Amino acid sequence: MDYRTNITEFLLLGFSQTKEIQIICFVLFLLCYIAILFGNLLIIISVTCSHLLNQPMYFFLSYLALSDLCYTSTVTPNLIKNLVATRKSISYNGCMTQLFTMHFFGGIEVFILTGMAYDRYVAICKPLHYTIIMNRQKCDAVIVASCAGGFLHSFGQFLLAVFLPYCGPNVIDHYFCDVYPLLKLACTDTRKIGFLVIANSGLMGLVTFLVLLISYAVILYTVRSYSTENRRKALSTCSSHVTVVVLFFAPLLFIYIRPATTLPEDKVFALFYTIIAPMLNPLIYTLRNKEMKNAIKRLCYHITGSEGSRMNGFTVFHHHTVS
């Protein structure tokens, strides 16, 4: 504890110390964050305000969008702020809070993706039992279990980092607080803790990724006997899921499955699961999904229609008042 009190804040190096590159990154990441907010909020509202909420796939999709929104919000606003700040720092408590919340929402997303894969497995491989297996109580239980799993995962990461002694230096070669960069700053032997990080993050991600791949392989095997039209619909839905899974898990496994060390490429790979995946998920799930596109159209029509009705009412009231 005496060592730890020597560090009250950490300095984040980010991507570059060149002013021109920082300005370009600021504009780029600001636009990305606006796109993340707009896209994921659009999915949440479109699903919540339509009958799609009663369908398990879209029920999970709305919570995936919410976890994406929360996940990227633990990192991106601070990244954007630091790109234009003179002193790119984060307090010790802020660093530990960011570490916990990032892994919490990231863990929730991993388990929700698993729940979505199970939903597609049941829908395609056991269609006659789908409504019985994937009832609302089961879907609620999957969300609760995802939150519990995310909490256990993030709490384990938090404990590994918070009890380490930090006696300087306090410069983190990253754009957010994570376990591996913090292990590099700890003034103690962290080899055993590094193995615990691999077990908590790397192996958990690897096992989940393999389970997802196996489930989709079973689905592909099952749809061979389907008609051409049904096969096309099943593959269209699953292809969106597989794209999201690979986009999220591939860079995550690159960082967490190896021994405790940091590489210059880590910051680039981390962009995929902290910013790029949350930004692309709404596009991936809506561009090839007719029901989602219809729900978004109905939402936009409802908003514009309500606005038009209010304007017409105001016009009538105005003419009545004048006459």
Side-chain angles (χ1 to χ4, degrees):
M1 291 295 291
D2 293 336
Y3 284 123
R4 198 174 299 112
T5 55
N6 293 336
I7 300 295
T8 58
E9 66 175 8
F10 295 99
L11 300 179
L12 299 168
L13 292 183
F15 288 99
S16 174
Q17 303 304 308
T18 307
K19 194 65 178 176
E20 291 77 12
I21 296 178
Q22 289 178 353
I23 294 173
I24 294 173
C25 290
F26 170 79
V27 175
L28 179 63
F29 293 140
L30 179 61
L31 293 175
C32 289
Y33 189 56
I34 293 173
I36 291 169
L37 292 176
F38 177 77
N40 286 286
L41 283 174
L42 185 62
I43 284 183
I44 294 170
I45 298 171
S46 298
V47 172
T48 305
C49 298
S50 70
H51 68 282
L52 294 180
L53 188 63
N54 298 321
Q55 300 182 37
M57 185 176 79
Y58 299 103
F59 174 80
F60 290 135
L61 179 58
S62 64
Y63 276 97
L64 179 69
L66 180 60
S67 65
D68 268 337
L69 201 58
C70 297
Y71 181 56
T72 193
S73 294
T74 64
V75 174
T76 311
N78 192 64
L79 166 62
I80 295 171
K81 176 182 71 70
N82 283 340
L83 285 169
V84 293
T86 305
R87 185 175 177 80
K88 309 176 195 313
S89 63
I90 185 171
S91 67
Y92 175 86
N93 291 334
C95 181
M96 295 303 159
T97 301
Q98 185 182 66
L99 171 71
F100 177 84
T101 53
M102 187 192 72
H103 281 275
F104 174 62
F105 291 114
I108 290 176
E109 183 163 352
V110 166
F111 293 119
I112 289 179
L113 287 172
T114 307
M116 294 176 75
Y118 180 70
D119 170 71
R120 290 300 85 201
Y121 166 78
V122 176
I124 294 173
C125 300
K126 299 182 179 181
L128 298 179
H129 302 90
Y130 180 71
T131 55
I132 298 175
I133 297 175
M134 297 305 299
N135 56 49
R136 189 54 181 267
Q137 290 75 21
K138 293 280 180 64
C139 293
D140 290 336
V142 169
I143 298 300
V144 172
S146 298
C147 293
F151 175 80
L152 291 175
H153 164 69
S154 61
F155 189 65
Q157 298 290 81
F158 174 77
L159 289 180
L160 292 176
V162 76
F163 287 115
L164 287 175
Y166 303 102
C167 46
N170 65 335
V171 179
I172 297 177
D173 187 16
H174 216 304
Y175 62 92
F176 63 89
C177 288
D178 204 1
V179 180
Y180 280 167
L182 288 173
L183 291 182
K184 193 175 180 180
L185 300 182
C187 46
T188 186
D189 187 1
T190 59
R191 283 176 295 181
K192 293 182 180 179
I193 296 177
F195 286 118
L196 293 176
V197 174
I198 294 174
N200 190 14
S201 291
L203 289 181
M204 184 193 79
L206 180 61
V207 170
T208 306
F209 184 57
L210 291 176
V211 169
L212 292 173
L213 291 182
I214 292 171
S215 67
Y216 287 119
V218 173
I219 290 173
L220 289 175
Y221 181 81
T222 303
V223 299
R224 292 190 311 163
S225 59
Y226 283 23
S227 65
T228 304
E229 179 64 19
N230 289 335
R231 190 188 307 125
R232 185 190 63 79
K233 290 180 179 179
L235 293 178
S236 176
T237 303
C238 291
S239 63
S240 300
H241 291 249
V242 173
T243 302
V244 171
V245 166
V246 172
L247 193 63
F248 185 83
F249 277 92
L252 185 145
L253 291 176
F254 172 81
I255 292 176
Y256 291 110
I257 201 63
R258 66 171 191 259
T261 182
T262 57
L263 299 174
E265 296 84 4
D266 287 353
K267 288 182 279 189
V268 177
F269 278 96
L271 282 176
F272 279 90
Y273 57 82
T274 56
I275 295 178
I276 296 176
M279 181 179 66
L280 295 182
N281 283 357
L283 290 175
I284 294 171
Y285 281 113
T286 55
L287 286 180
R288 301 180 64 181
N289 191 304
K290 186 177 179 180
E291 288 185 300
M292 270 306 306
K293 286 191 283 189
N294 290 336
I296 293 173
K297 288 178 182 177
R298 284 194 295 269
L299 177 66
C300 295
Y301 176 79
H302 178 75
I303 294 173
T304 55
S306 300
E307 187 65 28
S309 299
R310 283 197 295 270
M311 291 301 295
N312 291 335
F314 175 78
T315 302
V316 171
F317 174 77
H318 179 71
H319 284 307
H320 178 73
T321 305
V322 172
S323 60

